[in-house]
Amino acid sequence: MVMEELERHIWRALSTNFCSKGDIVLTTASSNIVALLIPEGRTMHSRFAIPINVDEDSTCNIKKGGQLDELIAKTKLIIWDEAPQ
């Protein structure tokens, strides 16, 4: 519990620092519960158009030149809690 609180404190500090400079920060998590705990957090499925049921042939649905593509290109920091291993 203490480590999770420390991680989130560090993430908030990093996010605040980047955002104060006008940089874009994306926060995401693997689960809905964790995404709710992160400021402006979204699930990885929602943020990066990752399919819910993933197999070896799965790909993200990010269209070249689309809004998500442009957002990711402009992003300076991605905070991903519980990244898949």
Side-chain angles (χ1 to χ4, degrees):
M1 182 75 157
V2 173
M3 186 60 156
E4 291 169 355
E5 290 177 21
L6 178 60
E7 287 174 355
R8 290 198 177 83
H9 177 73
I10 292 169
W11 295 336
R12 282 188 197 100
L14 282 169
S15 182
T16 299
N17 182 288
F18 277 78
C19 289
S20 71
K21 298 174 187 173
D23 293 330
I24 296 173
V25 176
L26 301 179
T27 54
T28 188
S30 298
S31 72
N32 285 331
I33 300 296
V34 176
L36 291 172
L37 299 173
I38 301 172
E40 299 192 37
R42 291 175 57 183
T43 64
M44 62 181 184
H45 305 287
S46 171
R47 171 59 70 200
F48 297 110
I50 298 172
I52 302 268
N53 298 316
V54 178
D55 61 36
E56 67 232 21
D57 297 321
S58 298
T59 60
C60 297
N61 189 19
I62 301 173
K63 294 179 178 38
K64 186 173 182 175
Q67 288 181 332
L68 182 54
D69 176 44
E70 292 176 11
L71 176 65
I72 292 170
K74 293 177 185 176
T75 298
K76 296 291 182 182
L77 175 66
I78 296 173
I79 298 173
W80 190 322
D81 188 8
E82 299 180 348
Q85 298 179 7

